[in-house]
Amino acid sequence: MSAQITCVGWVGRGFAKETPEKVELSQEELQRIITEAKEELGELAAQEDEDDDEGIACEDNPDTNAEDVPGLPKEEDGKEEDDELAEYGLDRYDEEDAVTTSLGDSLAGLTVFSSNEEDPYITLKDTDQYEREDFQIKPSDNLILTGRAEKDCCNLEIHVYNSEEDSLYVHHDILLPAYPLCVEWLNFDPSPGEQPGNYAAVGNMTHKIDVWDLDVVDCLEPVFSLGSKKAPKKKKKAKKGAAAEPVEGHTDAVLDLSWNKLIRNVLASGSADDTVILWDLTQGKPATTLHRHTDKVQTLSFHPFEAQTLISGSFDKTAVLYDCRSPDNSNRTWRFSGQVERLTWDHFSPYNFLASTDDGFIYCLDARSDKPVFTLKAHDEEVSGLNLSSQIKGCLVTSSADRHVKIWDILGNKPNLVHSRDMKMGVLFCASCCPDMPFVYAFGGQRDGLRVWDISDVAAVAEVFGSRERLVANTGSQASTSAATAEMEVSE
């Protein structure tokens, strides 16, 4: 079974440490991690046993003999199999042959060199040098974060991509506790007095959000986690007089994350429990919980220039716009033809946002109006990737479960298909544009791992967008201004 890439994200140049740190655990720290892991596994096993006891037990018939069960081999069949295997002499497999070769004779033609420098057949004399170069992060390197899911394990892989050298490799990976569903880069460090960091928040099939330090190699546990430590129990009929246990955070899988780049201590999360939570990273606790959806919250996104503005999309076929200063009172709702898959703000037209659905449509909407600016039937199946170029106005790239990536020109709100390609990756799960190179996109899908594609190599793309002016959306000054003049007001 080929590994799946379930989510993908970029880290801009200059944010990662030049030389990442390596973890060296003491015996006490290692023992503590092992003990905590055993306790957590014990709690999960106890919960599973409890769920099994409440379920309908399968009926067993003790009088049924094995001989009467169809499909089980009988003794005669076993004898026939033994006779067939006898000719291979497997019972004498470990016995030594009568004629053995002398060890000295077998090694007589081998020449041993004292070092790699003397061996003429080794062309790479100093492999340590190359390993050191690969370990270091250059100023021209981008990092790509991918959630990788295999049959027996899940990882967060940190890739190094350098467009100048045309290189892409896995720098290190982090073992994850559950199937990854979303990843969001952030550089806010909650520790007092700390400088901006390099972190990845990962949402998975559990109710927790784990935040990992990308500048640390071989780490075994996240820097911190958001959500209750114990897994919330499934809904049961409450006993009379029994009070419900308070839950801090989500109670189901975390499907999407969005970090507020203007008020950097705020992270939004959408969950299968139908809620949106605004987290205060300084406290590590929810600031407020929003209950505007009636089904799973699949996607959400903070506005790139307005710190208080958030939009979320759900399986209930709606998108909701919030003013986070008074989220329960200030909101607007749009309804679509299908479940909302992805949402993204147009950083070149700040009032506009794009929404994609599971029936293949893309909608462009003005946040001030109820009617869409345009509607586009983009794909035959759900649109899982919806990404505007980081610097080229009007360049939209979409990916879908129909296995295709399509490049659109939406300048002037008149969408035009520029190029379409079958990526040969099976169902496509995710896509993301590089913040430093406007034509470079990363894709993840059902098979063949991570794929990085410079779409400017396509002649039609170069013809349409090659001469178009590049605009860099700079939120740095606005971020400092917003932080200095206003604080985000959230309701408990």
Side-chain angles (χ1 to χ4, degrees):
M1 176 182 174
S2 179
Q4 299 179 348
I5 300 299
T6 59
C7 51
V8 63
W10 289 83
V11 179
R13 294 171 179 168
F15 289 102
K17 280 186 178 180
E18 180 180 357
T19 305
E21 301 174 2
K22 286 189 176 182
V23 172
E24 295 182 2
L25 294 176
S26 64
Q27 288 295 330
E28 292 77 10
E29 291 173 325
L30 185 60
Q31 186 61 42
R32 177 183 60 81
I33 293 173
I34 294 173
T35 303
E36 290 178 355
K38 287 181 178 179
E39 291 176 355
E40 188 171 347
L41 289 173
E43 291 174 0
L44 292 174
Q47 184 175 345
E48 290 177 0
D49 293 341
E50 187 177 345
D51 294 339
D52 292 340
D53 293 341
E54 292 179 355
I56 300 175
C58 297
E59 294 183 1
D60 297 329
N61 188 355
D63 297 330
T64 304
N65 294 324
E67 297 177 357
D68 300 330
V69 178
L72 290 179
K74 297 182 180 180
E75 293 183 4
E76 296 180 359
D77 297 338
K79 291 181 179 179
E80 292 179 2
E81 292 178 4
D82 292 341
D83 294 339
E84 292 176 358
L85 295 174
E87 62 178 295
Y88 298 105
L90 297 180
D91 54 339
R92 300 188 302 277
Y93 182 79
D94 292 329
E95 296 179 7
E96 297 182 1
D97 296 335
V99 180
T100 58
T101 305
S102 171
L103 181 62
D105 294 339
S106 63
L107 298 178
L110 295 180
T111 304
V112 180
F113 295 93
S114 60
S115 68
N116 291 344
E117 296 292 339
E118 298 178 6
D119 193 336
Y121 296 101
I122 296 180
T123 56
L124 295 177
K125 305 299 183 180
D126 183 11
T127 57
D128 291 340
Q129 177 186 351
Y130 293 93
E131 291 178 1
R132 286 193 299 270
E133 290 179 357
D134 287 344
F135 189 73
Q136 288 185 336
I137 308 297
K138 302 175 183 176
S140 57
D141 286 341
N142 284 98
L143 301 186
I144 307 177
L145 315 176
T146 60
R148 181 184 178 92
E150 298 186 67
K151 186 176 181 180
D152 54 351
C153 69
C154 297
N155 298 84
L156 176 67
E157 290 187 333
I158 295 86
H159 301 253
V160 173
Y161 175 74
N162 191 299
S163 59
E164 299 172 1
E165 301 174 358
D166 194 24
S167 63
L168 175 66
Y169 61 92
V170 178
H171 185 273
H172 64 281
D173 62 357
I174 298 169
L175 186 65
L176 297 177
Y179 190 94
L181 298 174
C182 54
V183 60
E184 179 80 346
W185 177 80
L186 52 98
N187 71 353
F188 176 76
D189 193 327
S191 303
E194 291 291 334
Q195 297 296 321
N198 183 25
Y199 299 103
V202 180
N204 53 50
M205 291 295 290
T206 72
H207 65 287
K208 291 198 301 183
I209 302 167
D210 293 325
V211 180
W212 301 87
D213 191 340
L214 301 177
D215 290 331
V216 176
V217 178
D218 299 333
C219 56
L220 298 178
E221 56 184 353
V223 180
F224 61 93
S225 297
L226 303 173
S228 299
K229 187 174 182 180
K230 293 184 178 180
K233 295 182 179 179
K234 296 179 180 179
K235 294 181 180 179
K236 304 173 185 176
K237 292 183 179 179
K239 297 180 180 179
K240 292 183 178 180
E245 294 184 8
V247 176
E248 187 178 272
H250 291 296
T251 59
D252 208 335
V254 178
L255 304 182
D256 199 19
L257 297 166
S258 180
W259 175 53
N260 194 320
K261 297 179 178 61
L262 304 178
I263 301 180
R264 298 171 52 252
N265 66 310
V266 177
L267 178 73
S269 60
S271 170
D273 64 10
D274 309 346
T275 67
V276 172
I277 290 182
L278 302 180
W279 298 88
D280 183 351
L281 297 178
T282 305
Q283 302 294 328
K285 295 180 179 181
T288 190
T289 302
L290 309 178
H291 299 271
R292 301 299 300 179
H293 290 289
T294 59
D295 207 339
K296 302 177 183 66
V297 181
Q298 171 85 346
T299 177
L300 73 172
S301 178
F302 272 113
H303 195 283
F305 310 119
E306 298 178 5
Q308 74 278 7
T309 304
L310 173 72
I311 192 166
S312 63
S314 168
F315 279 31
D316 63 11
K317 301 183 180 180
T318 67
V320 179
L321 178 70
Y322 309 89
D323 183 337
C324 293
R325 294 171 296 188
S326 56
D328 293 327
N329 302 322
S330 302
N331 53 71
R332 180 192 289 269
T333 302
W334 291 265
R335 184 166 293 277
F336 302 96
S337 60
Q339 298 174 356
V340 182
E341 291 290 328
R342 304 303 304 167
L343 292 168
T344 186
W345 288 98
D346 187 346
H347 42 275
F348 299 111
S349 300
Y351 289 114
N352 291 0
F353 68 92
L354 297 166
S356 67
T357 58
D358 68 338
D359 54 358
F361 280 90
I362 292 175
Y363 299 84
C364 178
L365 298 113
D366 188 319
R368 302 164 296 181
S369 173
D370 294 330
K371 295 182 179 180
V373 177
F374 68 77
T375 302
L376 172 66
K377 176 62 175 176
H379 291 271
D380 296 329
E381 297 184 40
E382 66 186 53
V383 183
S384 57
L386 184 69
N387 295 94
L388 289 162
S389 170
S390 56
Q391 300 174 25
I392 305 298
K393 187 175 183 178
C395 180
L396 172 67
V397 175
T398 61
S399 62
S400 170
D402 65 9
R403 297 170 167 78
H404 285 77
V405 168
K406 294 185 179 181
I407 304 165
W408 307 86
D409 182 7
I410 62 170
L411 192 66
N413 298 321
K414 296 178 181 179
N416 177 49
L417 180 62
V418 177
H419 183 73
S420 177
R421 175 177 293 186
D422 185 346
M423 298 297 286
K424 309 295 183 183
M425 298 170 64
V427 175
L428 294 172
F429 296 137
C430 51
S432 184
C433 180
C434 177
D436 301 302
M437 291 166 288
F439 291 116
V440 176
Y441 286 77
F443 301 93
Q446 196 173 15
R447 60 174 182 267
D448 292 345
L450 173 69
R451 184 81 56 83
V452 178
W453 181 21
D454 186 343
I455 62 173
S456 64
D457 293 338
V458 179
V461 174
E463 181 180 351
V464 174
F465 300 108
S467 59
R468 193 166 295 181
E469 183 183 3
R470 297 192 181 191
L471 304 172
V472 180
N474 183 11
T475 61
S477 60
Q478 299 183 38
S480 59
T481 303
S482 299
T485 59
E487 291 186 359
M488 189 175 185
E489 297 176 7
V490 290
S491 58
E492 296 292 344

